[in-house]
Amino acid sequence: MTTIFSAEHGTDTGRDPLLLSHGYGSSSTMWDANLAALGAGRRVLVWDLPGHGHSGSPEDPVDYSEATCIRHMTEILDNAGVARAVIGGLSLGGYLSLAFHLAHPDRVRALLLFDTGPGFKRDDARQRWNDSAERRAVRLERDGAAALGDSPEVRGSRQDPVGLARAARGTLTQKDARIIRSLPTIAVPTLVVVGADDTNFRAAADYMSGTIPGAELAVIPDAGHAANIDQPEAFNRTVVSFLDRLD
C-alpha cells in the first residue's frame, strides 16, 4: 500500500477548509510562504503526490494514475472529517483539482487554479505533451534530480528521481479531453491565478477564465510559473480576498 504524506495547518473557525495540491517535481513544502495567510481562520490540508516529497514511490503505474490521485485526495478529506472543501493547486496540482471536481463536484466549494492548464482538446497536442513527459522521465532516470533544474517550485523539495520518473509517465501524462471539455459545466466559484511572466500558461489561464462560468482571473506581476513563491504577498492577498468573499 502506497504511503501518502499529508499535513494540516491553519485554524478551524468553521470556514470551508482548503485542500492544496503541488506541482510536478515539487512537494507540499512549496506552500510554506502561503500557509500562515491562507490558514488564518481556516484549515489548510496539503499533501505530497505519489513519487514526490515524503510520499512513497511504488512500482505499479496504476499508483500514479489520475484516478488514484483523486482517490488519495478523497481519503485526505475523509480522514480530516471534511465533507466539502475549496480545492486548489498549482500546475499539475491545478489539473488534478479540475479532475477532482469532475469526479466529485458535490465535494467542491470552490476552485483555485494556479499557473495551470486544463489539458488539450486535440489528440496531437496531447501527444506532444505526453512525449515531453516521457523525455522528462528518461532524463530523470539518466541524470537524477539534476534533470529537474532549479526552478522555485522544485527548489528545496525532497526528490526521488525514480518516483518522479514514474510520476511523469503516470500522473503528468493525459489520456483524453474530459477535463478541458468539463470547464463550461463548472458551477462553483473559481479563481484563476497566473504569473505575468509564466508565458507557457498565460493562454491557458485566459482560456479557463473565459470558459468557466463566472471565473475570476488574477495576473500576478513580476511572477513566473510559481506565482505563490515568486510574489507570496501579492498571491496571498489575491487568494485570501477571494476566499473571504465565499463566506
Side-chain angles (χ1 to χ4, degrees):
M1 184 175 181
T2 305
T3 300
I4 294 296
F5 171 84
S6 64
E8 181 173 327
H9 304 269
T11 304
D12 186 1
T13 61
R15 291 180 169 183
D16 296 299
L18 175 58
L19 173 62
L20 293 175
S21 301
H22 62 78
Y24 176 80
S26 186
S27 73
S28 54
T29 61
M30 70 165 291
W31 306 113
D32 284 354
N34 316 115
L35 291 173
L38 300 184
R42 74 179 69 244
R43 300 163 70 189
V44 182
L45 308 172
V46 298
W47 69 297
D48 291 343
L49 275 64
H52 292 73
H54 291 280
S55 288
S57 301
E59 295 184 12
D60 191 341
V62 172
D63 291 324
Y64 298 88
S65 69
E66 177 186 303
T68 297
C69 289
I70 291 172
R71 177 171 58 81
H72 290 316
M73 295 166 73
T74 304
E75 291 172 348
I76 290 168
L77 293 179
D78 289 345
N79 291 338
V82 174
R84 190 173 70 155
V86 177
I87 307 295
L90 183 138
S91 199
L92 176 58
Y95 182 85
L96 289 174
S97 298
L98 287 168
F100 182 89
H101 175 270
L102 183 59
H104 302 291
D106 57 317
R107 303 200 68 170
V108 181
R109 173 65 177 92
L111 282 167
L112 301 173
L113 307 174
F114 309 138
D115 294 279
T116 189
F120 307 90
K121 288 183 178 179
R122 292 172 45 188
D123 293 342
D124 58 339
R126 189 180 316 107
Q127 188 58 54
R128 286 194 294 272
W129 174 269
N130 291 346
D131 290 344
S132 175
E134 173 61 26
R135 290 193 296 271
R136 183 174 297 193
V138 170
R139 289 196 301 270
L140 282 160
E141 291 169 336
R142 183 190 64 208
D143 302 332
L148 285 173
D150 192 38
S151 57
E153 65 269 27
V154 304
R155 195 178 302 145
S157 295
R158 183 175 182 271
Q159 298 160 346
D160 172 13
V162 173
L164 292 177
R166 292 168 179 167
R169 295 187 174 104
T171 315
L172 198 57
T173 55
Q174 301 172 12
K175 294 181 171 56
D176 51 43
R178 292 177 307 112
I179 304 304
I180 192 169
R181 296 193 183 280
S182 75
L183 299 184
T185 71
I186 294 175
V188 297
T190 300
L191 174 66
V192 180
V193 176
V194 65
D197 301 327
D198 189 3
T199 54
N200 290 334
F201 286 89
R202 283 293 302 271
D206 290 340
Y207 181 83
M208 290 189 297
S209 62
T211 306
I212 298 172
E216 301 179 27
L217 173 64
V219 180
I220 306 295
D222 300 317
H225 187 54
N228 68 305
I229 298 173
D230 293 338
Q231 296 294 337
E233 292 184 3
F235 176 91
N236 293 342
R237 284 196 305 270
T238 299
V239 177
V240 169
S241 174
F242 174 82
L243 293 174
D244 285 346
R245 284 181 274 124
L246 296 178
D247 299 327

